[in-house]
Amino acid sequence: LRRDNGEIVTVHGYRAQHSQHRTPCKGGMRFSDEVQEDEVKALAKLMTYKCAVCDVPFGGAKAGIKIEPRDFSDMELEKITRRFTVELAKKGFLGPGIDVPAPDMGTGEREMSWMADTYKNTIGVCDLNSHACVTGKPIVMGGIHGRTSATGRGVYHSTNIFVEDPEYMEMVGLVPGLSGKTCILQGFGNVGLHTARYFHRAGAKIIGVIEWDGTIYNPSGIDPKALEDWKLEHGTIRGFPGATATDEDLLEGECDILLPCAKEKVITEENAHKIKARVIAEGANGPITPAADEILIANNQLVIPDIYCNSGGVTVSYFEWLKNLNHVSYGRLTFKYEFDSNKHLLQSVQSSLES
């Protein structure tokens, strides 16, 4: 890559396909300076299991480019993404029926639109379904409503199922229901932000947020929307007026639910015994090591595994992929709309009867 200042640098990228028993292969593409071959292989394996758990007809795959995106300009990131796309396509690692990447850590709609555009204008120039080569695209390029928030929404729904269950809550010593529960969130990117918003709407209190450049705490609760606006304006959660900065490791803080939604291997054998949360919902991929998992289970803590907890993203990616292949817009998925409408109607009738 020739950088904007004229410097020449070498960028390493990886794509691993774990299973081709069901095609196309499916898995995110991440930008991180911690990317390496073994990590990509392991995450591809997790994707196979995740697709099986939520019953979508994909094999597992994963991609990663070893860069820190904050150190590169938008032009440089576009060059890297487009060149990586061409290399994947030439080697048979990209295509609507072969391998379909999606956003992951450090990537989003912008990167997916670059990939789709590059594929369409190179290898897929005569392919009617070329836009189905990636998911997580902007709406104008064949994306689907709800894809951006899908993973966070999945974390909320999967956690809520367990938290509403009296048997599971009795096992960990909590009262059923999310309302009033205290939560600590690690990561305020795409997954963490939408997880926080859904938990907040359900009545839970986000008392702490951990980010790469700082940690904030407010025992009375943090408003996710206000924090999102602050981060968009300032580029960081530091200095947020609705909470206090702290040097404490909030992963080990007192709370009911811990939401690690950042990166892998944050809870290990060294710190697992210090985790005080009664429920840990894995919003990230592999945030708990196997040794730490055993410690948490021995301490009677409920761990909701990532292959189920954060599978909302790949589920909605499946809908987007189908939309691109069918060339028919879904409009809005009506099931949730009808469910919410009926729910509000019943609540209205109940409140009328009570009054």
Side-chain angles (χ1 to χ4, degrees):
L1 169 72
R2 183 183 295 276
R3 301 199 62 174
D4 295 343
N5 60 7
E7 178 190 1
I8 303 295
V9 296
T10 301
V11 178
H12 295 278
Y14 306 90
R15 182 70 177 177
Q17 294 179 342
H18 173 256
S19 171
Q20 295 175 336
H21 290 95
R22 306 180 88 177
T23 52
C25 297
K26 191 84 183 76
M29 184 182 82
R30 61 175 52 188
F31 288 170
S32 169
D33 56 5
E34 296 180 2
V35 165
Q36 42 108 351
E37 185 178 343
D38 288 341
E39 176 199 58
V40 174
K41 288 179 179 178
L43 291 171
K45 188 174 183 179
L46 279 175
M47 276 304 301
T48 297
Y49 302 146
K50 188 185 299 183
C51 291
V53 166
C54 58
D55 194 25
V56 293
F58 295 136
K62 204 72 178 184
I65 298 179
K66 190 177 176 61
I67 57 170
E68 174 49 67
R70 286 182 288 266
D71 296 339
F72 290 81
S73 69
D74 289 348
M75 180 67 74
E76 290 167 342
L77 290 173
E78 182 175 355
K79 287 180 181 178
I80 292 169
T81 305
R82 290 185 182 274
R83 174 62 188 277
F84 187 61
T85 303
V86 170
E87 294 301 324
L88 289 178
K90 287 195 310 188
K91 294 173 173 60
F93 277 80
L94 183 66
I98 303 169
D99 197 334
V100 182
D104 200 271
M105 185 192 306
T107 58
E109 288 186 345
R110 181 183 64 175
E111 287 75 20
M112 295 305 105
S113 65
W114 289 336
M115 293 188 76
D117 180 66
T118 304
Y119 180 81
K120 179 185 176 183
N121 289 294
T122 53
I123 305 295
V125 68
C126 295
D127 188 351
L128 180 66
N129 301 317
S130 61
H131 273 172
C133 70
V134 295
T135 58
K137 302 180 294 296
I139 301 298
V140 294
M141 289 192 69
I144 190 169
H145 289 283
R147 174 60 185 88
T148 304
S149 62
T151 308
R153 188 172 196 156
V155 174
Y156 159 70
H157 282 300
S158 57
T159 306
N160 190 48
I161 288 170
F162 283 94
V163 173
E164 292 285 352
D165 190 300
E167 185 178 346
Y168 280 107
M169 290 301 96
E170 185 180 351
M171 288 167 60
V172 297
L174 294 177
V175 176
L178 269 178
S179 182
K181 295 284 190 298
T182 55
C183 308
I184 291 177
L185 174 72
Q186 183 193 40
F188 201 70
N190 177 56
V191 179
L193 163 64
H194 291 100
T195 299
R197 290 175 69 174
Y198 283 111
F199 271 74
H200 182 71
R201 290 175 193 171
K205 285 198 299 184
I206 309 296
I207 61 171
V209 176
I210 307 164
E211 265 278 64
W212 66 276
D213 60 346
T215 301
I216 58 174
Y217 179 76
N218 183 350
S220 300
I222 297 168
D223 182 0
K225 184 65 174 71
L227 183 57
E228 178 192 11
D229 293 341
W230 177 270
K231 187 180 178 184
L232 286 173
E233 182 179 350
H234 299 87
T236 179
I237 65 169
R238 289 183 299 177
F240 176 61
T244 306
T246 178
D247 294 327
E248 181 186 351
D249 185 358
L250 285 188
L251 274 178
E252 303 165 7
E254 288 279 359
C255 65
D256 298 320
I257 302 172
L258 179 62
L259 301 163
C261 297
K263 58 182 184 177
E264 58 277 350
K265 295 187 290 189
V266 295
I267 300 177
T268 64
E269 191 174 12
E270 283 71 37
N271 65 353
H273 62 281
K274 301 177 184 176
I275 303 296
K276 300 180 181 66
R278 302 309 304 158
V279 178
I280 301 100
E282 295 186 316
N285 290 313
I288 302 175
T289 65
D293 192 56
E294 292 180 6
I295 294 170
L296 294 171
I297 292 172
N299 289 340
N300 208 34
Q301 291 162 291
L302 176 62
V303 178
I304 305 174
D306 54 351
I307 59 172
Y308 166 68
C309 191
N310 67 19
S311 62
V314 73
T315 302
V316 179
S317 277
Y318 174 53
F319 296 141
E320 180 180 335
W321 180 70
L322 287 179
K323 172 187 172 182
N324 296 154
L325 294 181
N326 292 331
H327 301 277
V328 176
S329 176
Y330 288 119
R332 302 198 175 202
L333 299 174
T334 57
F335 173 81
K336 187 68 173 68
Y337 174 78
E338 290 170 356
F339 176 86
D340 285 345
S341 298
N342 292 334
K343 182 179 176 182
H344 292 314
L345 178 62
L346 290 171
Q347 286 176 342
S348 175
V349 171
Q350 183 179 355
S351 60
S352 297
L353 292 172
E354 289 174 349
S355 60

